[in-house]
């Protein structure tokens, strides 16, 4: 992979300042929300990662980067609207949505890879090998992260939801308020060893957080206390 945007900026600054070297912090990639830190340190620049299916998980992966000021694009996912992205923490001022690019999806993705820091893509069909190689090479050259909802030959990292359970409906009463999922990360991006973490996706506030056993117990206690104080809340 060629030099990152940060490295190129440092080199340009060094040439203008007339110095031999400018110290730049190690680039660990685009930031992710703290809930994902047990799975991956960040979104690898110039890399391709896949996410099984669509929904909250791929959108949540963009939240940390957009909050940090990075521009992100979403291609071919009309079911993931702006409201859902905002609820999961995405900065809408840093988000470009191309809902239905039709047969131009590859061209649209190529343009975005050169213009923004991360692109979330759902191809309309299984891409041909030549097209996969073209977009993978372009992501590497541009130093952008390509997140694909579905399969992608040669992807360095794959995230999948292994199990999922909604909370809130008990004995036929109440309403769904949070979902606890087990997310597994596998591939070269994890050093060859699968990693997993329990997440609230979303939690009762609509955001993303860790969901270890202690947090589940705390949530249940809070809901029980709230029900005792106001029975109509879970009726």
């Amino acid at each position: 992979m060629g030099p990152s945007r940060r490295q190129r900026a440092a080199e340009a600054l060094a040439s203008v300042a007339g110095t031999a070297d400018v110290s730049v912090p190690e680039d660990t990639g685009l930031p992710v929300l703290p809930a994902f830190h047990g799975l991956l340190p960040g979104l690898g620049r110039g890399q391709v990662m896949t996410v099984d299916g669509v929904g909250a998980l791929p959108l949540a992966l963009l939240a940390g980067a957009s909050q940090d000021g990075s521009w992100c694009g979403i291609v071919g996912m009309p079911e993931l609207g702006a409201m859902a992205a905002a609820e999961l923490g995405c900065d809408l001022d840093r988000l470009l949505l191309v809902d239905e690019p039709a047969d131009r999806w590859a061209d649209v993705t190529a343009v975005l890879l050169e213009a923004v820091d991360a692109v979330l893509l759902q191809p309309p069909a299984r891409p041909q090998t030549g097209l996969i190689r073209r977009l993978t090479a372009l992501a590497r050259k541009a130093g952008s992260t390509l997140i694909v909802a579905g399969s992608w030959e040669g992807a360095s990292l794959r995230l999948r939801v292994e199990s999922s359970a909604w909370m809130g409906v008990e004995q036929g009463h109440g309403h769904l308020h949070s979902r606890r999922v087990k997310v597994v990360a596998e591939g070269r991006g994890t050093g060859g060893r699968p990693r997993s973490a329990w997440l609230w996706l979303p939690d009762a506030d609509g955001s993303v957080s860790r969901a270890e056993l202690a947090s589940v117990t705390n949530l249940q206690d809070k809901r029980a206390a709230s029900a005792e104080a106001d029975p109509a809340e879970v009726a």
Side-chain angles (χ1 to χ4, degrees):
M1 185 182 73
S4 67
R5 288 184 173 90
R6 182 178 298 188
Q7 290 171 325
R8 294 196 295 269
E11 292 170 358
L13 179 61
S15 65
V16 172
T19 57
D21 181 44
V22 173
S23 177
V24 180
E26 182 181 356
D27 189 355
T28 57
L30 301 174
V32 291
L33 296 175
F36 289 104
H37 287 175
L39 290 170
L40 63 164
L43 303 179
R45 295 180 182 273
Q47 297 183 0
V48 180
M49 60 186 297
T50 64
V51 181
D52 284 0
V54 297
L57 179 57
L59 276 181
L61 288 172
L62 296 180
S66 66
Q67 289 177 13
D68 192 58
S70 293
W71 282 90
C72 303
I74 301 178
V75 180
M77 305 180 78
E79 67 275 23
L80 300 185
M83 182 177 295
E87 289 176 348
L88 289 166
C90 291
D91 182 350
L92 297 185
D93 291 335
R94 296 282 175 173
L95 207 60
L96 301 176
L97 303 177
V98 185
D99 292 340
E100 298 181 2
D103 57 355
R104 299 292 303 278
W105 67 268
D107 294 332
V108 171
T109 302
V111 170
L112 286 176
L113 284 173
E114 294 186 309
V116 303
D117 296 291
V119 177
L120 172 58
L121 163 69
Q122 183 180 27
R126 187 178 183 89
Q128 297 180 352
T129 300
L131 192 52
I132 289 176
R133 291 176 178 173
R134 173 196 165 200
L135 293 178
T136 298
L138 186 56
R140 184 182 303 112
K141 178 181 178 182
S144 300
T145 302
L146 178 57
I147 305 172
V148 180
S151 61
W152 192 268
E153 181 183 348
S156 61
L157 184 67
R158 175 194 176 198
L159 263 61
R160 58 183 175 86
V161 174
E162 187 172 87
S163 61
S164 172
W166 281 94
M167 310 285 286
V169 177
E170 299 175 4
Q171 298 180 347
H173 300 282
H175 62 276
L176 298 175
H177 56 70
S178 55
R179 183 174 70 132
R180 185 172 184 256
V181 301
K182 182 180 181 181
V183 180
V184 178
E186 2 179 55
R188 299 190 307 275
T190 64
R193 300 183 62 182
R195 301 174 184 173
S196 64
W198 286 96
L199 308 177
W200 289 117
L201 194 65
D203 61 18
D205 297 325
S207 56
V208 185
S209 59
R210 296 300 294 264
E212 305 300 344
L213 290 178
S215 68
V216 176
T217 301
N218 291 338
L219 178 62
Q220 292 173 335
D221 291 344
K222 289 180 181 179
R223 298 293 298 182
S226 177
E228 291 177 1
D230 185 5
E233 182 174 321
V234 294

